[in-house]
Amino acid sequence: MADDQGQQKRGKSGLHRQTSSMSRTSCHSRSSSCVSSSSKEGSAKKTNGNISRELTRTDTQINIKGKGTKTATLYLSQSHSKVKLPNSAERPRGIIRQKTSSDTSQQTTGTRSRQTTFVSQDNGFSEPPKIKKDLKREFTFTGYDIMEDCDPPAPLPTDPDEIERHGYVNVYINACKSLGITPVTLIVNSLMAPKLVMRSRSVGSKAARAIFIALVGNQRICGLDLEDNWLGAEGASAIAELLPQNNLITEINISENRIGGDGIRALAAVMQDNQTVRKLNISGSELYDHDAKYLAEIIENNVWLRELRASHNKFGEVGGLYLGPAIANNDTLEILDLSWNHLRRQGAQAVAAGLEDNGGLLILDLSWNGLSRAGCRTLGLSLAENYTLEQLDLTCNRVDAIAVGSLLEGLRWNESLVTLKLGQNPITPDVALLILKTIEKAPNSVLRELDLTDVVVDEEFVTSLKKMQQKRVLRARTGPIINKGEGILAQDAGTFLTNNPMKAMFDFMNERGYRVIDLFKRYDNDNTHTVSTQDFTKGLLNVHLPLTVGQLEELVNELDSDKDGKIELRDLTEAETNHRRKMFRRKQKMALKETSNKQRTKTQKAKNRKKRTLEAIPDVDSV
């Protein structure tokens, strides 16, 4: 018995050594006889009691129909269970059964092709067929490693626009790959649009650089609107690199991107010689006094720029000293926005003095600064000499009675200013009336819109305004209207506080019994059922329609649907029909709401009546 047990232990030990040896031999044999160059196999066996496991590593190709070819490494766990003979006594003790089975199974399903090889060997004993039937095998898929991923080639587009778009998209995606960032779907879909708009996405400077790389050869995009995307100085530098290579971009909005001094310096270096950009918005860029010198270089040297917005920065007294001479030397810029800065004292005086020699500005926005008395005194002298400025915004500039007097001295001789905004300043009702009388007495004044928002006026101001409107066109927006010694009578004088000029026009016509056809025929002298936008605007001003000049322009643009400079009778009647429909629907909703409220009130009253009745019934127990 002891000899048999020893012989059995030696047999098991020999099996373990032989299995390891066969594993190495099998691995070497498979690697040398591999048919496919992409197939590699390695094996390792573990023996635990009666279970022999073989881990097989196989590199195989998975052919997916329509999805390309993927080369993967499959890890399969193969378990062999030793099966006892039907009559265990017939097997001599100490002799280890060995078997050889080679099973090559290849399964192709249209989506996957897999090949697995299993190897086991015996010590020369053959096994009955019934034993092979009872052999148990267990396979476990434990994962795979993607070694290669190749998509099938996409069919090339044939449409010229698609070919062009395909090229732009490839350039953008390759730029994203080289910079290690994820492409943005919005950018991919906008590469063929006339204007690229992406606001408040916080994409950063790398994503911006990828966009600008894609725009180097782009022949479609003419405008960039990248407001609030954290581009920083690097993003501004990338734009500076793009502009010399792209001659189609005419509008750039990089406001609220905090480009700082380094960013504006990079832009100034290329903008001085740029001949394509017409609009530039660098508001909210964290620019300080000494950064204003780069902005001044753009204003003074670029003769192609028409609109420049630099609001919400931190230009102070020193910044104004840089900007003033640049404004004086420029005759091509038409719109300049320096609102929400810190222009005051000598800086405000320098900017105001620059307006005197400027021969091109149409709109100047200096709101929310600190011009005060000194700045207004210089500005009054400049208004007397300037002949191009049409709109001046001095909202919230600490303009008091003395400062208003200085402005009126220049306004008396000015012949170009159409809109003056003095709202939210410390102006009294008497000073407001003085402004109105000065405008009335100015011989050459063409002022048509006066904005005195939040400025209190009295009844005398309202009376004088109505008298002036009978002689000339003048729209005034004011604050509360008071009677001397009494309280507030109204909130505004002479204008509708509305965001819908179309509704205001039709309400005005209904109050006075005007018909659309009558109003139109008054200006359609040639009976062509068309009126120019200028004549129509002049007609609305003559009937004293209580709208501001800006609201009138918005109304006319809405009526001129085809933008041909003419208003047709059909456009006006359609607008009236749509207005009536909206009013009818609104009345229906109000009627339904009123009916619902009445029903709710009626139900509540019935409930209250029932409750009071129940409370009035005496309690039986108490009785």
PDB file of all heavy atoms in Angstrom, residues 118-140:
ATOM      1  N   PHE A 118      -6.652  24.120 -28.657  1.00  0.00           N
ATOM      2  CA  PHE A 118      -6.465  23.495 -27.346  1.00  0.00           C
ATOM      3  C   PHE A 118      -5.521  22.295 -27.535  1.00  0.00           C
ATOM      4  O   PHE A 118      -5.634  21.527 -28.485  1.00  0.00           O
ATOM      5  CB  PHE A 118      -7.784  23.004 -26.759  1.00  0.00           C
ATOM      6  CG  PHE A 118      -8.868  24.033 -26.845  1.00  0.00           C
ATOM      7  CD1 PHE A 118      -9.888  23.931 -27.758  1.00  0.00           C
ATOM      8  CD2 PHE A 118      -8.820  25.140 -26.018  1.00  0.00           C
ATOM      9  CE1 PHE A 118     -10.852  24.877 -27.837  1.00  0.00           C
ATOM     10  CE2 PHE A 118      -9.797  26.097 -26.094  1.00  0.00           C
ATOM     11  CZ  PHE A 118     -10.814  25.965 -27.003  1.00  0.00           C
ATOM     12  N   VAL A 119      -4.581  22.106 -26.618  1.00  0.00           N
ATOM     13  CA  VAL A 119      -3.571  21.050 -26.721  1.00  0.00           C
ATOM     14  C   VAL A 119      -3.470  20.333 -25.387  1.00  0.00           C
ATOM     15  O   VAL A 119      -3.423  20.974 -24.343  1.00  0.00           O
ATOM     16  CB  VAL A 119      -2.195  21.629 -27.094  1.00  0.00           C
ATOM     17  CG1 VAL A 119      -1.157  20.537 -27.138  1.00  0.00           C
ATOM     18  CG2 VAL A 119      -2.282  22.344 -28.429  1.00  0.00           C
ATOM     19  N   SER A 120      -3.471  19.050 -25.418  1.00  0.00           N
ATOM     20  CA  SER A 120      -3.158  18.217 -24.248  1.00  0.00           C
ATOM     21  C   SER A 120      -2.521  16.934 -24.754  1.00  0.00           C
ATOM     22  O   SER A 120      -2.787  16.495 -25.864  1.00  0.00           O
ATOM     23  CB  SER A 120      -4.410  17.930 -23.424  1.00  0.00           C
ATOM     24  OG  SER A 120      -5.342  17.212 -24.201  1.00  0.00           O
ATOM     25  N   GLN A 121      -1.664  16.308 -23.977  1.00  0.00           N
ATOM     26  CA  GLN A 121      -0.923  15.139 -24.382  1.00  0.00           C
ATOM     27  C   GLN A 121      -1.003  14.056 -23.308  1.00  0.00           C
ATOM     28  O   GLN A 121      -1.250  14.342 -22.140  1.00  0.00           O
ATOM     29  CB  GLN A 121       0.543  15.500 -24.638  1.00  0.00           C
ATOM     30  CG  GLN A 121       0.712  16.473 -25.832  1.00  0.00           C
ATOM     31  CD  GLN A 121       2.149  16.775 -26.099  1.00  0.00           C
ATOM     32  OE1 GLN A 121       3.010  16.269 -25.386  1.00  0.00           O
ATOM     33  NE2 GLN A 121       2.400  17.567 -27.120  1.00  0.00           N
ATOM     34  N   ASP A 122      -0.780  12.767 -23.750  1.00  0.00           N
ATOM     35  CA  ASP A 122      -0.745  11.619 -22.856  1.00  0.00           C
ATOM     36  C   ASP A 122       0.649  11.021 -22.876  1.00  0.00           C
ATOM     37  O   ASP A 122       1.528  11.469 -23.602  1.00  0.00           O
ATOM     38  CB  ASP A 122      -1.763  10.569 -23.294  1.00  0.00           C
ATOM     39  CG  ASP A 122      -3.193  11.027 -22.990  1.00  0.00           C
ATOM     40  OD1 ASP A 122      -3.379  11.652 -21.930  1.00  0.00           O
ATOM     41  OD2 ASP A 122      -4.085  10.778 -23.819  1.00  0.00           O
ATOM     42  N   ASN A 123       0.799  10.001 -22.094  1.00  0.00           N
ATOM     43  CA  ASN A 123       2.075   9.291 -22.048  1.00  0.00           C
ATOM     44  C   ASN A 123       2.061   8.074 -22.956  1.00  0.00           C
ATOM     45  O   ASN A 123       2.666   7.051 -22.662  1.00  0.00           O
ATOM     46  CB  ASN A 123       2.381   8.838 -20.618  1.00  0.00           C
ATOM     47  CG  ASN A 123       2.895   9.995 -19.803  1.00  0.00           C
ATOM     48  OD1 ASN A 123       3.445  10.930 -20.370  1.00  0.00           O
ATOM     49  ND2 ASN A 123       2.698   9.934 -18.501  1.00  0.00           N
ATOM     50  N   GLY A 124       1.328   8.133 -24.036  1.00  0.00           N
ATOM     51  CA  GLY A 124       1.359   7.031 -24.979  1.00  0.00           C
ATOM     52  C   GLY A 124       0.153   6.139 -24.897  1.00  0.00           C
ATOM     53  O   GLY A 124       0.014   5.235 -25.704  1.00  0.00           O
ATOM     54  N   PHE A 125      -0.758   6.307 -23.919  1.00  0.00           N
ATOM     55  CA  PHE A 125      -1.949   5.476 -23.804  1.00  0.00           C
ATOM     56  C   PHE A 125      -3.063   6.096 -24.614  1.00  0.00           C
ATOM     57  O   PHE A 125      -3.278   7.291 -24.553  1.00  0.00           O
ATOM     58  CB  PHE A 125      -2.388   5.357 -22.331  1.00  0.00           C
ATOM     59  CG  PHE A 125      -1.406   4.569 -21.500  1.00  0.00           C
ATOM     60  CD1 PHE A 125      -0.438   5.233 -20.779  1.00  0.00           C
ATOM     61  CD2 PHE A 125      -1.460   3.195 -21.471  1.00  0.00           C
ATOM     62  CE1 PHE A 125       0.458   4.550 -20.024  1.00  0.00           C
ATOM     63  CE2 PHE A 125      -0.548   2.508 -20.705  1.00  0.00           C
ATOM     64  CZ  PHE A 125       0.413   3.173 -19.979  1.00  0.00           C
ATOM     65  N   SER A 126      -3.733   5.262 -25.375  1.00  0.00           N
ATOM     66  CA  SER A 126      -4.889   5.745 -26.126  1.00  0.00           C
ATOM     67  C   SER A 126      -6.125   5.638 -25.258  1.00  0.00           C
ATOM     68  O   SER A 126      -6.207   4.795 -24.366  1.00  0.00           O
ATOM     69  CB  SER A 126      -5.073   4.937 -27.419  1.00  0.00           C
ATOM     70  OG  SER A 126      -5.295   3.572 -27.107  1.00  0.00           O
ATOM     71  N   GLU A 127      -7.099   6.514 -25.543  1.00  0.00           N
ATOM     72  CA  GLU A 127      -8.284   6.572 -24.697  1.00  0.00           C
ATOM     73  C   GLU A 127      -9.483   6.111 -25.514  1.00  0.00           C
ATOM     74  O   GLU A 127      -9.608   6.435 -26.693  1.00  0.00           O
ATOM     75  CB  GLU A 127      -8.500   8.007 -24.219  1.00  0.00           C
ATOM     76  CG  GLU A 127      -9.579   8.105 -23.172  1.00  0.00           C
ATOM     77  CD  GLU A 127      -9.600   9.470 -22.555  1.00  0.00           C
ATOM     78  OE1 GLU A 127      -8.761  10.291 -22.947  1.00  0.00           O
ATOM     79  OE2 GLU A 127     -10.449   9.701 -21.695  1.00  0.00           O
ATOM     80  N   PRO A 128     -10.355   5.381 -24.902  1.00  0.00           N
ATOM     81  CA  PRO A 128     -11.540   4.909 -25.640  1.00  0.00           C
ATOM     82  C   PRO A 128     -12.377   6.076 -26.112  1.00  0.00           C
ATOM     83  O   PRO A 128     -12.371   7.144 -25.512  1.00  0.00           O
ATOM     84  CB  PRO A 128     -12.282   4.069 -24.590  1.00  0.00           C
ATOM     85  CG  PRO A 128     -11.269   3.738 -23.574  1.00  0.00           C
ATOM     86  CD  PRO A 128     -10.301   4.852 -23.551  1.00  0.00           C
ATOM     87  N   PRO A 129     -13.125   5.883 -27.194  1.00  0.00           N
ATOM     88  CA  PRO A 129     -13.958   6.966 -27.716  1.00  0.00           C
ATOM     89  C   PRO A 129     -14.969   7.460 -26.710  1.00  0.00           C
ATOM     90  O   PRO A 129     -15.247   8.642 -26.641  1.00  0.00           O
ATOM     91  CB  PRO A 129     -14.639   6.358 -28.931  1.00  0.00           C
ATOM     92  CG  PRO A 129     -13.731   5.237 -29.351  1.00  0.00           C
ATOM     93  CD  PRO A 129     -13.111   4.704 -28.100  1.00  0.00           C
ATOM     94  N   LYS A 130     -15.533   6.570 -25.886  1.00  0.00           N
ATOM     95  CA  LYS A 130     -16.548   6.997 -24.936  1.00  0.00           C
ATOM     96  C   LYS A 130     -15.957   7.922 -23.871  1.00  0.00           C
ATOM     97  O   LYS A 130     -16.653   8.740 -23.309  1.00  0.00           O
ATOM     98  CB  LYS A 130     -17.211   5.806 -24.277  1.00  0.00           C
ATOM     99  CG  LYS A 130     -16.246   4.943 -23.461  1.00  0.00           C
ATOM    100  CD  LYS A 130     -16.991   3.777 -22.841  1.00  0.00           C
ATOM    101  CE  LYS A 130     -16.051   2.915 -21.971  1.00  0.00           C
ATOM    102  NZ  LYS A 130     -16.793   1.805 -21.328  1.00  0.00           N
ATOM    103  N   ILE A 131     -14.671   7.772 -23.603  1.00  0.00           N
ATOM    104  CA  ILE A 131     -14.048   8.672 -22.637  1.00  0.00           C
ATOM    105  C   ILE A 131     -13.987  10.083 -23.200  1.00  0.00           C
ATOM    106  O   ILE A 131     -14.188  11.051 -22.511  1.00  0.00           O
ATOM    107  CB  ILE A 131     -12.654   8.170 -22.262  1.00  0.00           C
ATOM    108  CG1 ILE A 131     -12.745   6.784 -21.666  1.00  0.00           C
ATOM    109  CG2 ILE A 131     -11.989   9.116 -21.271  1.00  0.00           C
ATOM    110  CD1 ILE A 131     -13.624   6.705 -20.437  1.00  0.00           C
ATOM    111  N   LYS A 132     -13.705  10.208 -24.521  1.00  0.00           N
ATOM    112  CA  LYS A 132     -13.654  11.529 -25.147  1.00  0.00           C
ATOM    113  C   LYS A 132     -15.023  12.197 -25.120  1.00  0.00           C
ATOM    114  O   LYS A 132     -15.132  13.396 -25.019  1.00  0.00           O
ATOM    115  CB  LYS A 132     -13.160  11.413 -26.584  1.00  0.00           C
ATOM    116  CG  LYS A 132     -11.712  10.995 -26.683  1.00  0.00           C
ATOM    117  CD  LYS A 132     -11.246  10.991 -28.124  1.00  0.00           C
ATOM    118  CE  LYS A 132      -9.775  10.604 -28.203  1.00  0.00           C
ATOM    119  NZ  LYS A 132      -9.295  10.583 -29.595  1.00  0.00           N
ATOM    120  N   LYS A 133     -16.073  11.410 -25.231  1.00  0.00           N
ATOM    121  CA  LYS A 133     -17.404  11.998 -25.163  1.00  0.00           C
ATOM    122  C   LYS A 133     -17.674  12.580 -23.789  1.00  0.00           C
ATOM    123  O   LYS A 133     -18.382  13.568 -23.660  1.00  0.00           O
ATOM    124  CB  LYS A 133     -18.457  10.945 -25.498  1.00  0.00           C
ATOM    125  CG  LYS A 133     -18.428  10.509 -26.951  1.00  0.00           C
ATOM    126  CD  LYS A 133     -19.510   9.496 -27.218  1.00  0.00           C
ATOM    127  CE  LYS A 133     -19.480   9.037 -28.687  1.00  0.00           C
ATOM    128  NZ  LYS A 133     -20.527   8.042 -28.969  1.00  0.00           N
ATOM    129  N   ASP A 134     -17.113  11.938 -22.751  1.00  0.00           N
ATOM    130  CA  ASP A 134     -17.368  12.405 -21.397  1.00  0.00           C
ATOM    131  C   ASP A 134     -16.415  13.525 -20.963  1.00  0.00           C
ATOM    132  O   ASP A 134     -16.544  14.028 -19.858  1.00  0.00           O
ATOM    133  CB  ASP A 134     -17.240  11.246 -20.402  1.00  0.00           C
ATOM    134  CG  ASP A 134     -18.334  10.209 -20.650  1.00  0.00           C
ATOM    135  OD1 ASP A 134     -19.365  10.589 -21.243  1.00  0.00           O
ATOM    136  OD2 ASP A 134     -18.128   9.056 -20.279  1.00  0.00           O
ATOM    137  N   LEU A 135     -15.490  13.897 -21.833  1.00  0.00           N
ATOM    138  CA  LEU A 135     -14.539  14.923 -21.461  1.00  0.00           C
ATOM    139  C   LEU A 135     -15.248  16.282 -21.359  1.00  0.00           C
ATOM    140  O   LEU A 135     -15.959  16.689 -22.266  1.00  0.00           O
ATOM    141  CB  LEU A 135     -13.425  15.029 -22.509  1.00  0.00           C
ATOM    142  CG  LEU A 135     -12.322  16.052 -22.221  1.00  0.00           C
ATOM    143  CD1 LEU A 135     -11.575  15.656 -20.963  1.00  0.00           C
ATOM    144  CD2 LEU A 135     -11.364  16.119 -23.406  1.00  0.00           C
ATOM    145  N   LYS A 136     -15.088  16.948 -20.226  1.00  0.00           N
ATOM    146  CA  LYS A 136     -15.750  18.227 -19.994  1.00  0.00           C
ATOM    147  C   LYS A 136     -14.757  19.356 -20.247  1.00  0.00           C
ATOM    148  O   LYS A 136     -13.655  19.320 -19.743  1.00  0.00           O
ATOM    149  CB  LYS A 136     -16.257  18.302 -18.558  1.00  0.00           C
ATOM    150  CG  LYS A 136     -17.317  17.261 -18.249  1.00  0.00           C
ATOM    151  CD  LYS A 136     -17.768  17.377 -16.797  1.00  0.00           C
ATOM    152  CE  LYS A 136     -18.815  16.320 -16.474  1.00  0.00           C
ATOM    153  NZ  LYS A 136     -19.246  16.406 -15.065  1.00  0.00           N
ATOM    154  N   ARG A 137     -15.182  20.319 -21.013  1.00  0.00           N
ATOM    155  CA  ARG A 137     -14.363  21.491 -21.276  1.00  0.00           C
ATOM    156  C   ARG A 137     -15.131  22.744 -20.866  1.00  0.00           C
ATOM    157  O   ARG A 137     -16.339  22.828 -21.061  1.00  0.00           O
ATOM    158  CB  ARG A 137     -13.982  21.601 -22.751  1.00  0.00           C
ATOM    159  CG  ARG A 137     -13.154  20.429 -23.263  1.00  0.00           C
ATOM    160  CD  ARG A 137     -12.627  20.745 -24.641  1.00  0.00           C
ATOM    161  NE  ARG A 137     -11.913  19.595 -25.165  1.00  0.00           N
ATOM    162  CZ  ARG A 137     -12.279  18.917 -26.232  1.00  0.00           C
ATOM    163  NH1 ARG A 137     -13.362  19.286 -26.889  1.00  0.00           N
ATOM    164  NH2 ARG A 137     -11.581  17.894 -26.654  1.00  0.00           N
ATOM    165  N   GLU A 138     -14.432  23.695 -20.346  1.00  0.00           N
ATOM    166  CA  GLU A 138     -15.038  24.947 -19.911  1.00  0.00           C
ATOM    167  C   GLU A 138     -14.231  26.102 -20.485  1.00  0.00           C
ATOM    168  O   GLU A 138     -13.021  26.156 -20.326  1.00  0.00           O
ATOM    169  CB  GLU A 138     -15.047  25.040 -18.387  1.00  0.00           C
ATOM    170  CG  GLU A 138     -15.650  26.344 -17.873  1.00  0.00           C
ATOM    171  CD  GLU A 138     -15.543  26.453 -16.381  1.00  0.00           C
ATOM    172  OE1 GLU A 138     -15.065  25.496 -15.764  1.00  0.00           O
ATOM    173  OE2 GLU A 138     -15.926  27.515 -15.846  1.00  0.00           O
ATOM    174  N   PHE A 139     -14.907  27.005 -21.168  1.00  0.00           N
ATOM    175  CA  PHE A 139     -14.245  28.150 -21.774  1.00  0.00           C
ATOM    176  C   PHE A 139     -14.843  29.421 -21.184  1.00  0.00           C
ATOM    177  O   PHE A 139     -16.061  29.567 -21.116  1.00  0.00           O
ATOM    178  CB  PHE A 139     -14.442  28.161 -23.302  1.00  0.00           C
ATOM    179  CG  PHE A 139     -13.944  26.916 -23.966  1.00  0.00           C
ATOM    180  CD1 PHE A 139     -14.835  25.911 -24.317  1.00  0.00           C
ATOM    181  CD2 PHE A 139     -12.601  26.738 -24.220  1.00  0.00           C
ATOM    182  CE1 PHE A 139     -14.390  24.770 -24.924  1.00  0.00           C
ATOM    183  CE2 PHE A 139     -12.160  25.586 -24.834  1.00  0.00           C
ATOM    184  CZ  PHE A 139     -13.050  24.590 -25.178  1.00  0.00           C
ATOM    185  N   THR A 140     -13.991  30.309 -20.795  1.00  0.00           N
ATOM    186  CA  THR A 140     -14.443  31.581 -20.198  1.00  0.00           C
ATOM    187  C   THR A 140     -13.759  32.729 -20.923  1.00  0.00           C
ATOM    188  O   THR A 140     -12.535  32.781 -20.979  1.00  0.00           O
ATOM    189  CB  THR A 140     -14.094  31.646 -18.703  1.00  0.00           C
ATOM    190  OG1 THR A 140     -14.652  30.510 -18.061  1.00  0.00           O
ATOM    191  CG2 THR A 140     -14.663  32.919 -18.089  1.00  0.00           C
TER     192      THR A 140
END
